[in-house]
Amino acid sequence: MTHFQRWALALTLPAAVLAIALYVFPIVQVLALSFLEPKPGFGNYVSLLGNAAIGRVVRTTIVVSALTTAITLVLSYIVAFAIVHMPRERRRVALFLVMVPFWISVLVRAFSWITILRRNGVLNSALVEAGAIQEPLDLVYNQLGVVIGMVHYMMPFAILLLVANLDDIDRRIIQAARSLGAQPATVFWRVWLPLSLPGLSIATLFTFIFSLGFLVTPALLGAGRVLMIAEYISVQISSTLRWGVATALSTLMLLAVGLLVAIAMRHPAFRAAFGGGHR
């Protein structure tokens, strides 16, 4: 190790100590509680595996997260593709508009969607007055409303990831394909999309993992009818005071996310997204 490398390592030590104190230590406490509350042993984990209600919560979480991920990626790719083809000035405005939701509270966004989607809300009223529907549609306080709210929350993250990836694609490859006679659709399916796989992969992983931990949006837009893991854990801690069950479920969720990341990193597209594809 060189003198510079030793100095660089020494400079990272304070950050490492801080991360251990504020992040690793609380996680270890959560792991310990899952084995100690209400009594020592594996009872919390055994009860989780045989609990039908928790099974339904897990299935709901996976379905809602998968739908959110799929819809978010399709919509975000369209927006990102349009942004990278805009002139510089329009592109700045578009990226500014993409970032605006970051400055608005998640509570405000959720209540805004309730105002828009409820039976006597803006959308249903407009559709009824236009004669498109006879009765108001159930667009909120169900799984559809939760997915709409989560997609709206995740799209800015996915768009920024995809814009960064699409920007890195060498335009000379696109020009070469066009000069060889490829039609626009062929250029997209045979050139743009394959070269977008690293960005799509990291956006998929990020969106799905983030969706697993949603709490406020499902609680408000689902109104208790779409119970996801984070809300279930919150109820166990704040209402029923079953800390052992809550921490055991948190631990299993943490392990599942870690396993998902480990499996994903075996794919070349994910390794390329994290810079490992060049090694």
Side-chain angles (χ1 to χ4, degrees):
M1 182 179 292
T2 64
H3 183 69
F4 175 79
Q5 288 174 329
R6 284 196 294 272
W7 266 105
L9 181 62
L11 290 174
T12 62
L13 285 179
V17 172
L18 196 63
I20 292 172
L22 300 180
Y23 189 69
V24 177
F25 183 66
I27 290 178
V28 173
Q29 279 189 313
V30 168
L31 284 170
L33 281 176
S34 67
F35 291 105
L36 298 176
E37 293 286 345
K39 57 184 180 181
F42 294 90
N44 290 318
Y45 292 95
V46 174
S47 66
L48 285 181
L49 295 177
N51 192 314
I54 293 177
R56 287 195 295 273
V57 171
V58 172
R59 284 194 295 274
T60 300
T61 304
I62 293 174
V63 169
V64 171
S65 299
L67 286 172
T68 299
T69 303
I71 297 171
T72 298
L73 285 180
V74 172
L75 297 179
S76 299
Y77 193 93
I78 294 171
V79 175
F81 193 79
I83 287 176
V84 297
H85 286 86
M86 288 180 180
R88 186 179 297 275
E89 291 302 322
R90 290 184 185 178
R91 177 176 174 161
R92 288 177 180 169
V93 175
L95 287 174
F96 172 78
L97 294 176
V98 168
M99 295 181 67
V100 166
F102 287 121
W103 306 324
I104 301 175
S105 165
V106 63
L107 283 173
V108 174
R109 281 187 266 178
F111 283 121
S112 299
W113 277 116
I114 291 173
T115 303
I116 295 170
L117 300 176
R118 62 185 178 179
R119 290 183 66 82
N120 58 346
V122 177
L123 183 57
N124 269 319
S125 298
L127 291 174
V128 170
E129 290 180 5
I133 56 175
Q134 299 297 321
E135 294 292 330
L137 302 173
D138 292 323
L139 301 175
V140 72
Y141 304 136
N142 51 27
Q143 189 166 296
L144 175 62
V146 173
V147 171
I148 290 174
M150 289 173 60
V151 167
H152 178 237
Y153 189 92
M154 291 307 307
M155 275 191 66
F157 296 98
I159 289 171
L160 293 178
L161 289 170
L162 289 170
V163 166
N165 170 250
L166 294 176
D167 252 351
D168 286 340
I169 293 177
D170 192 341
R171 297 296 192 276
R172 291 173 297 182
I173 301 175
I174 310 298
Q175 292 171 359
R178 287 173 178 166
S179 66
L180 291 174
Q183 298 298 313
T186 304
V187 172
F188 176 78
W189 289 109
R190 301 291 296 272
V191 182
W192 275 105
L193 199 56
L195 292 176
S196 307
L197 282 181
L200 284 169
S201 302
I202 195 65
T204 301
L205 186 66
F206 181 86
T207 306
F208 185 75
I209 290 177
F210 206 104
S211 299
L212 292 176
F214 263 86
L215 171 61
V216 175
T217 302
L220 293 178
L221 296 177
R225 298 171 186 166
V226 184
L227 191 60
M228 295 180 67
I229 290 178
E231 188 178 358
Y232 185 85
I233 292 172
S234 174
V235 170
Q236 301 307 309
I237 291 176
S238 60
S239 300
T240 63
L241 302 180
R242 296 170 66 193
W243 281 80
V245 172
T247 53
L249 190 55
S250 302
T251 303
L252 290 179
M253 190 174 172
L254 183 66
L255 292 174
V257 170
L259 183 63
L260 187 64
V261 173
I263 294 174
M265 290 301 295
R266 295 175 64 86
H267 195 278
F270 283 94
R271 290 200 299 272
F274 284 100
H278 303 294
R279 297 175 184 174

